């Protein structure tokens, strides 16, 4: 039996007549009749009973129809899987990541690309990751902001403590730690949005406002400003740990230390692409392994 003959047989069963089936298949009546006759000769049994209004499937034909549909379904699944693999190879996952966390998560992005070399990652600096997810400008967001929209799913990844980055000639450079209230008279350089709002909240709880002379969304600009003595910066400890610079000093904060919680956010959708789902599923175990 050839696959073409099985396809012809199934279409006749659906149409209820050779005439309708030939139109659906785009073949001539003699061709269709000949292929069914070959099929019946192979099994040595009629597959159809000819009736006035068309044809009816015999008991033997019903068995072949049942098994034939199963075969065609398996072939369709195979086509979909093969197409899926080819489609994945051309896919891009867009990620809106808050600037302060990019350096910490960059090793994971690299590891994911190494594991799935046919999936490209487009990393976009985003202070408003939730809005970018809602507007479907990115597939995934990484943010420290609380989520306000119920259509966005938020998965907690890790918590970051803040520490102080200062120049080596700063008056506090010889201190290993200081109380948070010591920042009261200090000129600061800080990230906009997420980092700023968190720090301002902590300052308010201590009864003062931090003097901000530079606000930026760029890590390099922030560090450059500290390196040139323009001010001090409160930034996540994970970012500080990667710094190796004799002109900079790290001072820890005592007491109620500012922290922010980093979350993975994405749109609550049943149509999420498999590659995006794969990224989400693999990210949390990776982060937990790094923190251990």
């Amino acid at each position: 039996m050839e696959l073409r003959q099985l396809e012809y047989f199934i279409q006749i069963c659906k149409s209820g007549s050779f005439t309708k089936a030939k139109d659906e298949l785009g073949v001539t009546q003699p061709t269709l009749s000949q292929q069914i006759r070959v099929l019946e000769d192979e099994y040595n049994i009629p597959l159809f009973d000819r009736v006035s209004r068309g044809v009816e499937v015999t008991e033997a034909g019903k068995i072949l129809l049942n098994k034939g549909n199963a075969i065609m379904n398996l072939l369709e699944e195979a086509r979909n899987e093969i197409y899926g693999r080819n489609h994945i190879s051309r896919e891009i996952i867009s990620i809106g990541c808050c600037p302060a966390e990019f350096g910490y998560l960059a090793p994971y992005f690299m590891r994911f690309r190494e594991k799935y070399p046919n999936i490209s990652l487009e990393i976009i600096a985003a202070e408003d990751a939730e809005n970018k997810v809602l507007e479907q400008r990115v597939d995934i967001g990484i943010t420290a902001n609380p989520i306000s929209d119920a259509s966005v799913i938020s998965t907690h990844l890790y918590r970051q403590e803040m520490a102080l980055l200062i120049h080596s000639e700063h008056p506090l450079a010889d201190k290993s730690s200081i109380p948070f209230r010591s920042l009261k008279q200090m000129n600061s350089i800080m990230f906009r949005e997420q980092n700023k709002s968190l720090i301002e909240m902590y300052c308010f709880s201590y009864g003062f406002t931090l003097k901000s002379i530079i606000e930026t969304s760029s890590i390099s600009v922030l560090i450059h400003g500290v390196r040139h003595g323009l001010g001090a910066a409160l930034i996540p400890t994970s970012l500080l740990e990667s710094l190796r610079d004799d002109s900079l000093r790290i001072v820890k904060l005592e007491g109620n230390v500012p922290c922010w919680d980093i979350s993975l956010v994405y749109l609550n959708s049943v149509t999420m692409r498999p590659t995006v789902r794969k990224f989400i599923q693999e990210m949390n175990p990776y982060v937990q392994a790094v923190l251990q």
Side-chain angles (χ1 to χ4, degrees), residues 99-239:
E101 296 305 312
F102 176 74
Y104 184 67
L105 294 171
Y108 169 71
F109 298 149
M110 294 173 62
R111 175 178 169 180
F112 186 86
R113 281 284 291 121
E114 290 171 357
K115 187 174 181 180
Y116 303 101
N118 293 324
I119 303 176
S120 297
L121 299 181
E122 181 183 14
I123 314 299
I124 301 168
E127 297 172 358
D128 58 342
E130 180 184 6
N131 287 335
K132 281 187 166 52
V133 168
L134 281 169
E135 295 166 2
Q136 298 186 40
R137 294 166 62 187
V138 297
D139 297 308
I140 298 166
I142 297 171
T143 181
N145 286 338
I147 301 305
S148 57
D149 196 297
S151 61
V152 175
I153 296 176
S154 175
T155 302
H156 182 264
L157 291 176
Y158 54 88
R159 170 167 286 189
Q160 290 270 40
E161 286 189 356
M162 298 288 174
L164 189 67
L165 180 68
I166 57 177
H167 191 272
S168 58
E169 295 182 2
H170 191 280
L172 297 175
D174 61 341
K175 303 288 186 181
S176 60
S177 64
I178 58 171
F180 186 84
R181 61 175 55 88
S182 299
L183 306 178
K184 186 174 182 178
Q185 303 300 326
M186 192 176 297
N187 290 333
S188 70
I189 305 169
M190 65 174 68
F191 284 117
R192 290 197 299 264
E193 302 298 334
Q194 297 171 336
N195 189 283
K196 180 184 177 182
S197 60
L198 174 69
I199 293 171
E200 285 180 343
M201 180 184 68
Y202 271 83
C203 291
F204 180 79
S205 68
Y206 280 92
F208 70 91
T209 301
L210 196 62
K211 188 189 299 182
S212 175
I213 61 170
I214 297 177
E215 294 179 11
T216 178
S217 60
S218 168
I219 293 173
S220 60
V221 169
L222 184 145
I223 294 175
H224 182 81
V226 176
R227 186 179 287 123
H228 285 78
L230 299 180
L234 275 171
I235 52 180
T237 52
S238 63
L239 183 59

Side-chain angles (χ1 to χ4, degrees), residues 80-93 112-113 115-121 273-276 278:
N80 290 338
E81 286 190 25
I82 292 170
Y83 171 78
R85 286 180 176 272
N86 291 336
H87 188 59
I88 284 173
S89 67
R90 297 189 296 272
E91 277 206 41
I92 298 174
I93 300 176
F112 186 86
R113 281 284 291 121
K115 187 174 181 180
Y116 303 101
N118 293 324
I119 303 176
S120 297
L121 299 181
R273 289 179 291 137
T275 48
V276 177
K278 185 185 299 292

